[in-house]
Amino acid sequence: MRDSCFTPPHIIVALDFSDQQLALQFARQLDPQRCRLKVGKELFTRAGSQVVEQLVGSGFDLFLDLKFHDIPNTVASACAAAAELGVWMINVHALGGRRMMETARSAIEQSDHQPLLTAVTILTSMGESELHEIGLMGTPKENVMRLAALARESGMDGVVCSPREATDLWHQHGDEFCLVTPGVRPSWAARGDQIRTMTPGEACQAGASYLVIGRPIIEAPEPLEALVAIEEEIRG
Ligand code: C5P
């Protein structure tokens, strides 16, 4: 296990709930010392910035996963607005290109609060044939490696990638470049729509800095037991 970006807690629980009350109720069972939280498009669209502020106010490190992808000026303004919410991490799509990422970085540098800024490379739900369909030739890993290099050159703190790409990315970019990996599935959990997956233990061994885990925890009959089982697997 590596340190640097790999600062505990390593697990980021994706609060993919349709309703603010459900999300806050769920978060009350959790301890900010043991996990970070992620608010994504569904919850943010329903509940807005209020739910983010409440979770940050409860002491959680929060990843605001809105994957901005637009013209540079719009993305920069959105990043500045997200930074003002006091969150720990925000992200953009690397496919938005160098100028978009560099402008987002400048906007963060001018903010009073400076969250980590990461870039999504290729969604973990996408396989090779889907990439070819949208004109991205080569394997998912080749696309991820290319986009991660561009993201780093453009000033990103790290990338969101599949754990399957983590080892190669770690060898190429080292400890200071965060590797945030969704697509994590304990052996006992359903894969759902994720395609490029690994177990939590494998993802850590592969060099992931942070593991984003949603349904295997939030839809478990006993979510806290699921979290404990994942923590134990990572420690092992
Ligand atoms: O439920 P599950 O563990 O699949 O949740 C994964 C979370 O990570 C979801 O909130 C999803 O939006 C997010 N995510 C992802 N793939 C990416 C980036 C983020 O699955 N490339």
Side-chain angles (χ1 to χ4, degrees):
M1 253 181 217
R2 63 200 178 94
D3 44 28
S4 206
C5 260
F6 203 71
T7 314
H10 316 299
I11 299 172
I12 304 175
V13 178
L15 290 181
D16 289 331
F17 290 101
S18 57
D19 169 286
Q20 171 168 350
Q21 289 316 319
L22 285 174
L24 293 176
Q25 211 175 323
F26 188 87
R28 272 195 286 275
Q29 303 174 61
L30 303 173
D31 176 355
Q33 304 298 319
R34 285 180 54 194
C35 62
R36 301 172 202 257
L37 299 179
K38 181 175 89 68
V39 169
K41 290 189 165 101
E42 179 185 10
L43 184 58
F44 193 81
T45 303
R46 289 193 186 273
S49 57
Q50 205 192 341
V51 69
V52 172
E53 284 166 330
Q54 290 205 36
L55 292 165
V56 170
S58 306
F60 284 99
D61 273 353
L62 196 125
F63 173 17
L64 185 58
D65 176 24
L66 297 181
K67 301 184 183 71
F68 296 130
H69 188 181
D70 209 314
I71 59 171
N73 184 58
T74 302
V75 167
S77 308
C79 286
E84 280 172 26
L85 297 175
V87 298
W88 163 72
M89 180 184 285
I90 62 173
N91 61 355
V92 299
H93 263 286
L95 285 168
R98 182 188 300 271
R99 211 155 42 88
M100 191 204 78
M101 289 190 276
E102 285 176 351
T103 316
R105 165 54 65 203
S106 306
I108 294 296
E109 272 167 13
Q110 285 158 30
S111 300
D112 291 340
H113 173 75
Q114 303 192 350
L116 289 171
L117 177 59
T118 56
V120 176
T121 50
I122 297 292
L123 295 169
T124 46
S125 58
M126 293 187 86
E128 191 161 336
S129 57
E130 270 184 293
L131 290 187
H132 291 181
E133 207 171 23
I134 58 167
L136 290 177
M137 294 309 160
T139 62
K141 187 176 278 182
E142 285 163 353
N143 280 281
V144 169
M145 297 305 289
R146 189 187 69 252
L147 289 167
L150 178 65
R152 187 164 173 214
E153 281 171 30
S154 310
M156 300 296 100
D157 294 306
V159 286
V160 183
C161 60
S162 152
R164 293 196 193 182
E165 291 116 26
T167 303
D168 287 358
L169 287 168
W170 177 37
H171 282 300
Q172 186 151 341
H173 299 287
D175 278 339
E176 301 305 320
F177 197 59
C178 285
L179 304 179
V180 181
T181 64
V184 176
R185 285 291 178 269
S187 52
W188 39 265
R191 218 162 68 155
D193 54 355
Q194 298 284 13
I195 290 184
R196 305 193 330 272
T197 62
M198 271 190 177
T199 67
E202 288 167 345
C204 288
Q205 289 293 330
S209 321
Y210 300 107
L211 313 183
V212 175
I213 309 179
R215 287 162 291 181
I217 295 176
I218 68 169
E219 290 181 2
E222 297 294 340
L224 288 186
E225 283 178 19
L227 180 58
V228 169
I230 293 168
E231 284 173 335
E232 281 172 3
E233 185 180 327
I234 292 174
R235 271 198 295 273

